[in-house]
Amino acid sequence: MVEVFKPNRGLGNLRKLELLNLQFNKINGSLSSEVLSNLKRLKFLDLNDNSISGSAKGICELKNLLELDISRNYFDGELPYCFSNMTNLHILDLSSNELSGKLPSCIANLTSLQYLSFAENNFEGILQLPDSKHDLHYLDISKNKFTGWLPSNIGEIFTEILELKMSKNSFEGSIPSSMGEMKRLKSLDLSRNNFSGELPTQFVTGCFSLYFLRLSDNNFQGKVFPRYMNLTNLGWLYLNNNHFSGEIQDGLLKANWLLALDLSSNILSGQIPHWIGNFSNLELLSVSHNLFKGNIPVQLNNLQNLDTWLRLGDLWGSYYNSTLKFRHWEEEDGPTGQQAIEFTTKNRYESYEGNILNYMTRMDLSCNELTGDIPLEIGNLQEVYALNFSHNCFIKIYTRQLFQSKKDRESRPFSQQIKWPNTSPTDQTELFI
């Protein structure tokens, strides 16, 4: 017999109740509408992080809801069509459940929505959009089973979108050129799909508000950073694990506040541009596993802030005025969390995340065809605790300048590993050549 969750019957007498917050409890069983149906004036309902299972149909009685969060539970089956009756909803968070099937067309009726998350469910099929323009600000459909191409008119429908997450699905094809119409878009994550083709001109010129862009782990190709590129507000850029090729052009120069740049595991060639040293705020740089040749630019000495701690913060304020303060980021890969950092050392592929990143700095130029001497100026990057120059063609290294620290301490052995937390992080150095 399936256990049914029935809120305390006394709640049914609170007919003036407008806000009910039951998040972070141990409520289990399926949801019954017996008591909820009496709460006609309820506007804010938060059942986040419980163990409620079964269908979410019982919520449909609450037609005056403005904010609904049932994330991190065990709701399953298809999304009930009756959700289309909750036309006043501004915020709907269904993430981290076991919902499945295709997204019902009824979602198009929720024209007041500003925040919508289906992340971490089992939705599948082609992504269907509303027929007309929608003022949605936040959309997260990551970690599902969506397939096919993105609708060609997606940029015309979501012109007001601020943050868009579609990672970890099975989308394919190219980025629609209409995405260039997303003039207010600040964060875009299309990573871990099967996208391909070149980045449309309309996209790299029209999305000028972008601050966070992750296209990692796809099949994109073509050249990077054409001169007409107009992504002047970029702070975090991840293009790793794709098929970008050719020499790096200088269109990225306009992004004066760049903090993170990952071009690793592509087919980029030529020399590492000296102008990368102009990004004095850069905290992460990875160009490993490409076909770069030539010397390391001495201008990299200007990158005094290199750091692998990716705390992004609340970069663009609120999307809405939420009474319940709904969670709108993913701890693993969201713009307000920390990202796990992968680093190759002596054929070991290691991943670091969490508090350890507070104490780590690194530069990774491995697996290219770089030549000449490692510049003396590298010795000025005295906050770096891990250098990976392996699998290149370097001739000479100036060890004295490289290992000299602010306190003129002795150099560390090449094979010394970072040990946490028993030893002081300021005493650790790791070098691989």
Side-chain angles (χ1 to χ4, degrees), residues 33-81:
S33 60
E34 183 176 338
V35 175
L36 291 178
S37 60
N38 292 327
L39 306 178
K40 301 296 186 182
R41 299 182 64 174
L42 200 63
K43 296 181 179 179
F44 309 96
L45 176 60
D46 192 345
L47 301 177
N48 170 42
D49 215 329
N50 282 282
S51 298
I52 306 173
S53 58
S55 173
K57 189 174 182 179
I59 301 175
C60 292
E61 300 293 331
L62 306 175
K63 297 181 176 60
N64 291 316
L65 279 180
L66 300 178
E67 301 183 11
L68 173 62
D69 187 351
I70 60 172
S71 63
R72 296 178 182 254
N73 280 284
Y74 297 96
F75 289 104
D76 57 22
E78 296 186 356
L79 189 66
Y81 190 85

Side-chain angles (χ1 to χ4, degrees), residues 368-416:
N368 284 285
E369 299 178 11
L370 299 171
T371 59
D373 300 340
I374 294 179
L376 286 169
E377 290 80 2
I378 291 293
N380 294 330
L381 301 178
Q382 295 181 9
E383 298 301 321
V384 171
Y385 293 97
L387 294 176
N388 191 353
F389 295 159
S390 63
H391 298 279
N392 281 287
C393 303
F394 292 118
I395 298 174
K396 186 184 296 184
I397 175 175
Y398 299 92
T399 56
R400 181 177 180 181
Q401 288 83 354
L402 182 62
F403 287 114
Q404 186 178 23
S405 73
K406 293 179 180 179
K407 297 181 180 180
D408 295 323
R409 59 177 177 259
E410 293 288 327
S411 64
R412 299 287 179 180
F414 284 2
S415 61
Q416 181 174 356

Side-chain angles (χ1 to χ4, degrees), residues 99-193:
L99 298 168
S100 58
K102 296 182 179 180
L103 283 182
S105 58
C106 67
I107 295 298
N109 296 334
L110 306 181
T111 56
S112 297
L113 276 179
Q114 297 180 28
Y115 177 106
L116 177 60
S117 178
F118 296 125
E120 295 188 72
N121 280 284
N122 296 306
F123 290 112
E124 59 187 9
I126 305 296
L127 180 64
Q128 298 182 356
L129 302 181
D131 294 329
S132 58
K133 181 180 175 181
H134 200 293
D135 291 335
L136 197 65
H137 289 170
Y138 177 100
L139 176 61
D140 187 354
I141 60 172
S142 59
K143 301 179 184 178
N144 279 282
K145 299 177 181 178
F146 291 110
T147 58
W149 289 54
L150 293 182
S152 60
N153 64 341
I154 186 171
E156 299 167 1
I157 299 298
F158 296 134
T159 57
E160 302 299 315
I161 198 81
L162 299 177
E163 184 166 353
L164 180 58
K165 293 183 177 182
M166 297 183 169
S167 65
K168 299 180 182 177
N169 282 283
S170 297
F171 289 117
E172 57 186 66
S174 58
I175 294 179
S177 58
S178 70
M179 291 189 72
E181 299 298 319
M182 297 178 173
K183 308 298 185 183
R184 301 184 63 192
L185 184 64
K186 296 181 180 295
S187 176
L188 175 64
D189 190 350
L190 301 180
S191 63
R192 301 191 184 186
N193 281 283

Side-chain angles (χ1 to χ4, degrees), residues 63-315:
K63 297 181 176 60
N64 291 316
L65 279 180
L66 300 178
E67 301 183 11
L68 173 62
D69 187 351
I70 60 172
S71 63
R72 296 178 182 254
N73 280 284
Y74 297 96
F75 289 104
D76 57 22
E78 296 186 356
L79 189 66
Y81 190 85
C82 58
F83 266 61
S84 62
N85 296 327
M86 295 187 286
T87 55
N88 294 319
L89 275 176
H90 295 302
I91 297 170
L92 176 58
D93 193 341
L94 308 175
S95 62
S96 302
N97 280 284
E98 298 176 359
L99 298 168
S100 58
K102 296 182 179 180
L103 283 182
S105 58
C106 67
I107 295 298
N109 296 334
L110 306 181
T111 56
S112 297
L113 276 179
Q114 297 180 28
Y115 177 106
L116 177 60
S117 178
F118 296 125
E120 295 188 72
N121 280 284
N122 296 306
F123 290 112
E124 59 187 9
I126 305 296
L127 180 64
Q128 298 182 356
L129 302 181
D131 294 329
S132 58
K133 181 180 175 181
H134 200 293
D135 291 335
L136 197 65
H137 289 170
Y138 177 100
L139 176 61
D140 187 354
I141 60 172
S142 59
K143 301 179 184 178
N144 279 282
K145 299 177 181 178
F146 291 110
T147 58
W149 289 54
L150 293 182
S152 60
N153 64 341
I154 186 171
E156 299 167 1
I157 299 298
F158 296 134
T159 57
E160 302 299 315
I161 198 81
L162 299 177
E163 184 166 353
L164 180 58
K165 293 183 177 182
M166 297 183 169
S167 65
K168 299 180 182 177
N169 282 283
S170 297
F171 289 117
E172 57 186 66
S174 58
I175 294 179
S177 58
S178 70
M179 291 189 72
E181 299 298 319
M182 297 178 173
K183 308 298 185 183
R184 301 184 63 192
L185 184 64
K186 296 181 180 295
S187 176
L188 175 64
D189 190 350
L190 301 180
S191 63
R192 301 191 184 186
N193 281 283
N194 296 313
F195 288 112
S196 59
E198 299 186 4
L199 303 184
T201 300
Q202 297 90 332
F203 173 71
V204 297
T205 57
C207 295
F208 46 76
S209 297
L210 268 176
Y211 194 90
F212 181 94
L213 176 60
R214 181 182 286 141
L215 303 179
S216 313
D217 299 287
N218 281 286
N219 299 305
F220 290 115
Q221 61 189 43
K223 295 186 176 182
V224 293
F225 316 142
R227 291 189 175 182
Y228 54 77
M229 179 174 169
N230 191 36
L231 305 183
T232 56
N233 290 304
L234 273 179
W236 309 87
L237 178 59
Y238 301 91
L239 302 180
N240 51 297
N241 292 301
N242 280 286
H243 301 300
F244 292 111
S245 60
E247 297 186 2
I248 295 180
Q249 301 183 51
D250 60 4
L252 191 62
L253 268 173
K254 303 172 186 177
N256 297 322
W257 298 101
L258 194 66
L259 299 174
L261 176 61
D262 192 346
L263 302 176
S264 61
S265 299
N266 280 284
I267 321 173
L268 298 170
S269 58
Q271 294 188 333
I272 297 177
H274 64 83
W275 47 260
I276 289 182
N278 293 347
F279 299 123
S280 57
N281 298 306
L282 202 64
E283 297 178 0
L284 182 147
L285 172 63
S286 183
V287 295
S288 65
H289 294 84
N290 279 286
L291 301 175
F292 291 117
K293 297 181 179 180
N295 299 325
I296 296 179
V298 296
Q299 289 84 356
L300 295 189
N301 174 52
N302 299 330
L303 306 180
Q304 299 290 332
N305 292 323
L306 278 181
D307 193 344
T308 59
W309 182 25
L310 302 186
R311 183 183 296 279
L312 304 185
D314 190 5
L315 298 175

